[in-house]
Every structure is written in C-alpha cells, then in structure tokens.
Amino acid sequence: MIRKLAWAACVALAACATTTNDSQPPAPVGRADYADFLVGRVANLNADYAAAAERYQAALIRAPHDQDLLDGAVSAALAAGDIERGRRIVRSAPEDTTSPYARLLRGADDLSARHFRDAARELAAVRGGGAQEFAAAILGMWAKAGQGQADVIDDDLRPLLTVRPFGSLLNAQQAMAYDLAGRNAEALQAYASAAEGGLWLPQAIVRHADLLARTGAGEQAGAVLSDSANAGNPEIVAAAAHLAAGQSPAAAALTPARAAAIGLYGVSAIYFQQSDSANGLIALTLAQMLDPTLDAARIAAATQQARLGHADRAIETLQAIPAASAYASSARVMEAWTLVDEGRGDDAVTLAQQAAASGDVRATRALGDIYRQLGRYDAAEGVYSTLITAHPDDWRLYFARGAVLMRTDRVADGEADLQRALALSPDQPDVLNYLGYAWIDQGVRLQEALGMIQRAVALRPDSAAIVDSLGWAYYRMGDYPRALDALERAVQIDPGDATLNEHLGDVYWRVGRRTEARFQWNHALAQSPDDADAIRAKLAHGLPAAAVNHPARR
C-alpha cells in the first residue's frame, strides 16, 4: 500500500519521467544501432513518435536484449497510435521482460480478450515511472474485477480517491466497478461523489444514466444527461435520444475492458492539461485497444496530433471514425479544420458541406466558420442567416454573422448583430471584446467600449487578445502608461502573436522607447502578419506625430 500511494502522489504532480518524455533509453553499443537510437531520440524529443518508434525498433533488431531500448520502442509506438507496430515489437520480447510498456500492452490485450488472469499477472509485474504504474493499477483493478474479486473496489481504489486531480475520475471508476458487481446503491453513491467532484467524462455520465434507467429511475437518468455541463457532447446527446425512445442510454453493456478504457481516456485529458503529450497519447492508444468503439479517444488523439504538427496522422485518425458513430460529424468537422490549417481550403469546404448535409447544427455552423476563415464572407453570411432563422435565440450565430458583416464594411448591421448577441448573453467576453475593440478602432464611443473591454478582461483575464484590446483602448485614448502595462501583459501571455507585438511596439514608440519599439515590430514581422508592409513602414519611418486609425485584424 505504501508503494501504491507513493506512485499515486508522483503521478498527481504531473507525469513522472517516462521513456517517451523526460528520460530516454540508454544508447546501445553498436555503431549502426547507436545511429538509429540517436535519430529516434531526436524524433522523440520533437514529439515525432512514429519516427522514433521506427528508429528504436531498427536499433532493437540489432540489440534484441536491450530492455530499455525495448521499452522506448514500445512506448513510442503507443504514443504514435501504432498498435500493430507495438504488438510486433512486444512479440519478440521475452515473457519475463522488464519493460513496463511491453507488459502494459500485453495486459491491455489480455484484458480486452477477457483473459483476466493473464492480464492481472502482466499488470502486477509493471515497474516503472508514476504514469506507467498508474495505468497498470487501473487496468489491473479491472482484471481482478473481471475475475469476480469484488473486494478490489475498496482495496485498490479507495486509498487513491483523494489524489488530485484524479479524484472524480477514480470515483467514476469505483462506481462502474460497483455496477459491474451488482452493488447498485453503492454505485449510485459513487457516481454522486464523482458528480460533486466535477466529473466531466461523457462516457461515465452515460453509464450513470444507464444505471439509473436500469433501476427504474428514468426521470433522474434524463436529468443526469440534461444537467451535465457536457450535455452538448455527441455521446450524451445520443444517450438522451435513446432514453427518450425507451432504450438503454448506453450503446453497449459495461465490461471490464470498456470501464478501463474510460478510465484511461479520462487520465489522458489530465496529462494533456499538464503538457505531457507522450503519456496522454499512450493512455489514449491503450484505451482504443481496450474499446475499439471509443471514438472520443480518437477525437482526443487527433486533436493532440494536430497540435503537434502531424496533420496527416490526425486526418488518418479521424477517418477511422465510422459514419454511424455519434462522433462522425465532429470528426468530419475536425478533419475539415485540419485541411484549412494545411492550406487545402477547397477540400475543407467540400468535407464541411458533407458534414453539414446531415443537418447537424454544429457542423453547419462550422461550415460558416470555415467560409469566414477563408474570407468567403458572402457564403458565410448565408449559412449564418439560415441558422438564425431556425435558431433565433442562439447568441453565437449573431456573433458570427456580426463579425462577417463588420469584415465586409457593413458596420451598422454588424454592430446590430453583435448587440443582439449581447442582449441574448450579456456576459460573453468574446462579444464584449469584439464590439468594444471595433468601437475603439473606429474611435467612437470610447468610454463605453473601454467599459465593455474591462468587463471582458474581468471575465477572461488570461486571454491575450482581450488584454490586448484593453491596452489598445488605453492607447487610442492617449493613456500610454496603462496601455503599456496591459500590452506587456498581453505579450507575456502570447509572445508569438504578431498583432500583440506590433501594438506593444507602437506604445513603446509613443513613450520614447524607440529601440524596444523596433525590436517588437521586427518580432511581429517575423510572425508573417497580414499587414507586413505597414510594419516595414514603421520600421523605416517610425510613427507619425499623432496616433492614426489602426485597422482591426483579429
């Protein structure tokens, strides 16, 4: 128990060292395998896990008894989402391997195949970092539960329920274990504890509703689904529809493998919050091994792959989500946005149109957003107007159409839409910021605009764009000391934004700090801004004696 609590505390601190993250497998001895190891290590450090897995595997062929290299190869394959490569690597490993990731992969496969005793043996032998042992504990608990060992619920989970930030997630795992054991009252109490702790996992929320429906509490089941902060999640929407039709909210029966997959999916989100992409992706791959129908894990993996710059891999992951999935529309929309980022606008529009054809409101709104991103404002306006006719109380639609109208110089109509959005939802910081910034930019209604932006900052103090708007408002009103304070803070939040750096350069110039002004303008120019010529003119000539109108570009 002492060892268990020690690694749990380690995990809670944010991803202890793993072979894919903070540490690396030691270099093998041979020249050729050493070269492969070095290339793999560089790829790993650059979060190119597919290339790392390939090179580590090549080195492993020449050094087949190197257990650290084996662990590095398996972990990189799992982080890359390459399940079959990971299995091929593990098949060549000895039964008594010391590689924690090799044992995790075997344990996941055994658990999925309902070979619970074999899974428990593999997982009990995992020795490694906190993330590895935490995953092994979750899987191992379900391997024991699959064997009917009901006491595992108390013995293995209860001591960990206070470990942050995993408390509500483990409460949900506890609830599912009680459910599987037929201890319904205890399961419902554990679900209630998870909800009190801020449970967000859609799959766990659906399982809670499913248990309520099975125990005759259909109204409560509906309330659990509708009252969730995640009520708009496709899986929860589908569960609510099933319940309304008199069917089970859950699409499939609960099994140890499915429950373990839900647990690892939840763990991955916490790792990503802690900027630990490797352990997050590994958890998602293991979750997909345990439950191949867990498309939420594919969505999360594709999101992270796109963030890491692996667009092709993200698209491949999204395309694995079938048309019958609750997440199909979300997958097509994400794929379309990935294509936009890759400069393939026409392909993105075609895909978004196909997703919108399903009648899904979010997919249709995404089509409008993609048109707007691509500068096809007339098409975007048409989509938003159609949606507004069908959903006249959705502030997001007025906000989006208002932004399009402002971009096409129909200022009065745009402002009317933005004010309608505020009337429907008065505390939306994005709307407050957009309208306030537009007025500041036009040099009109400055005090009112300043008040709106101050409200937006209070509502979202960590938004660089909103803090920048506050600084620009002070700048346009000639209050340079306050402008300087706000704009420096905005650049600290997002140092890579061209507009923020340009604005900071402007205020430096106004307060006589000319060298710093040119530094910031050069930094803005390096970000390939749309107004590069205007910034070059500032670098050449500085600013004129009086502040001039500055076009809004965000």
Side-chain angles (χ1 to χ4, degrees):
M1 186 60 66
I2 292 174
R3 172 175 169 269
K4 192 176 296 181
L5 291 173
W7 61 249
C10 181
V11 170
L13 289 176
C16 301
T18 70
T19 53
T20 58
N21 209 3
D22 299 323
S23 64
Q24 298 287 338
V29 176
R31 181 173 297 176
D33 38 310
Y34 180 67
D36 279 322
F37 163 78
L38 283 180
V39 175
R41 179 169 185 173
V42 170
N44 222 3
L45 291 171
N46 290 320
D48 189 352
Y49 303 120
E54 181 181 352
R55 290 297 184 158
Y56 283 156
Q57 186 180 13
L60 187 63
I61 291 172
R62 303 184 188 94
H65 302 295
D66 190 322
Q67 294 298 294
D68 292 310
L69 192 54
L70 168 67
D71 200 52
V74 177
S75 62
L78 290 173
D82 194 339
I83 296 170
E84 291 310 313
R85 181 187 291 275
R87 285 172 173 150
R88 287 196 301 272
I89 296 169
V90 170
R91 278 197 290 269
S92 66
E95 284 296 319
D96 61 348
T97 178
T98 59
S99 163
Y101 281 115
R103 288 196 174 275
L104 275 172
L105 187 149
R106 285 177 179 169
D109 273 341
D110 285 335
L111 183 56
S112 181
R114 304 182 71 86
H115 300 157
F116 299 125
R117 186 168 299 176
D118 293 338
R121 184 182 65 251
E122 288 285 0
L123 297 162
V126 170
R127 298 291 183 273
Q132 298 153 331
E133 294 196 12
F134 190 57
I138 290 176
L139 299 184
M141 187 273 290
W142 286 108
K144 294 177 187 176
Q147 299 175 72
Q149 299 177 23
D151 59 345
V152 71
I153 302 170
D154 295 327
D155 293 347
D156 286 20
L157 273 181
R158 198 177 294 280
L160 306 178
L161 294 176
T162 59
V163 176
R164 299 297 178 189
F166 298 96
S168 66
L169 168 65
L170 293 172
N171 273 128
Q173 290 279 282
Q174 182 186 41
M176 283 180 257
Y178 282 136
D179 185 357
L180 202 65
R183 295 159 62 175
N184 294 342
E186 291 164 290
L188 291 171
Q189 180 58 50
Y191 275 128
S193 297
E196 290 172 6
L199 179 67
W200 59 270
L201 268 176
Q203 298 75 25
I205 293 166
V206 170
R207 290 293 168 188
H208 184 189
D210 186 70
L211 177 57
L212 286 166
R214 283 188 279 117
T215 54
E219 282 192 24
Q220 287 180 262
V224 163
L225 295 172
S226 62
D227 293 346
S228 166
N230 238 349
N233 173 272
E235 207 161 341
I236 293 180
V237 170
H242 292 154
L243 182 65
Q247 301 168 356
S248 170
L254 184 65
T255 66
R258 287 196 180 100
I262 293 170
L264 290 180
Y265 171 62
V267 166
S268 74
I270 296 171
Y271 287 144
F272 291 141
Q273 288 173 359
Q274 298 169 344
S275 300
D276 185 351
S277 63
N279 280 320
L281 286 167
I282 288 169
L284 289 175
T285 301
L286 292 170
Q288 292 172 67
M289 292 172 63
L290 292 159
D291 183 3
T293 69
L294 187 60
D295 290 325
R298 291 188 173 88
I299 292 285
T303 300
Q304 192 65 19
Q305 288 159 349
R307 285 175 180 164
L308 294 172
H310 306 311
D312 290 345
R313 184 63 181 162
I315 290 172
E316 181 182 343
T317 301
L318 292 167
Q319 289 175 341
I321 296 176
S325 170
Y327 289 94
S329 181
S330 299
R332 302 294 84 78
V333 167
M334 281 187 62
E335 187 180 347
W337 276 113
T338 305
L339 292 171
V340 170
D341 291 341
E342 291 296 292
R344 297 168 58 185
D346 290 340
D347 293 336
V349 167
T350 299
L351 195 59
Q353 287 172 335
Q354 292 170 358
S358 67
D360 183 270
V361 174
R362 288 180 301 172
T364 306
R365 189 168 68 233
L367 173 62
D369 293 342
I370 288 171
Y371 278 137
R372 178 158 56 102
Q373 177 74 15
L374 296 173
R376 303 179 188 182
Y377 299 124
D378 289 343
E381 182 188 348
V383 171
Y384 294 141
S385 295
T386 300
L387 285 171
I388 285 172
T389 300
H391 306 278
D393 295 327
D394 189 337
W395 69 268
R396 289 175 292 256
L397 300 175
Y398 291 98
F399 178 34
R401 191 176 68 176
V404 166
L405 294 170
M406 297 291 280
R407 282 296 188 108
T408 54
D409 294 327
R410 285 174 285 173
V411 175
D413 291 338
E415 288 181 358
D417 268 357
L418 294 172
Q419 289 177 316
R420 175 61 177 157
L422 277 180
L424 289 168
S425 189
D427 291 323
Q428 289 299 331
D430 290 327
V431 186
L432 289 165
N433 175 62
Y434 198 101
L435 183 55
Y437 188 87
W439 282 342
I440 292 292
D441 198 64
Q442 297 168 49
V444 301
R445 305 173 71 163
L446 295 182
Q447 288 298 334
E448 185 179 356
L450 177 62
M452 292 169 64
I453 294 172
Q454 287 171 332
R455 281 177 59 203
V457 170
L459 290 163
R460 195 175 292 165
D462 294 328
S463 167
I466 295 176
V467 174
D468 171 73
S469 294
L470 179 63
W472 197 242
Y474 286 133
Y475 177 89
R476 292 300 299 270
M477 298 171 76
D479 190 344
Y480 298 137
R482 286 185 180 178
L484 182 60
D485 178 69
L487 292 170
E488 285 183 332
R489 184 152 53 95
V491 170
Q492 286 175 352
I493 296 171
D494 187 359
D497 186 284
T499 300
L500 273 57
N501 281 281
E502 182 185 357
H503 284 179
L504 181 57
D506 290 357
V507 76
Y508 277 150
W509 185 274
R510 292 296 178 205
V511 298
R513 294 162 64 174
R514 304 297 171 83
T515 300
E516 291 166 283
R518 288 194 167 91
F519 175 85
Q520 293 302 143
W521 290 334
N522 271 310
H523 191 50
L525 196 60
Q527 308 302 320
S528 302
D530 293 336
D531 62 336
D533 289 342
I535 297 175
R536 291 191 187 97
K538 292 179 184 180
L539 285 165
H541 308 294
L543 293 178
V548 297
N549 197 10
H550 193 294
R553 288 184 301 277
R554 283 202 307 279

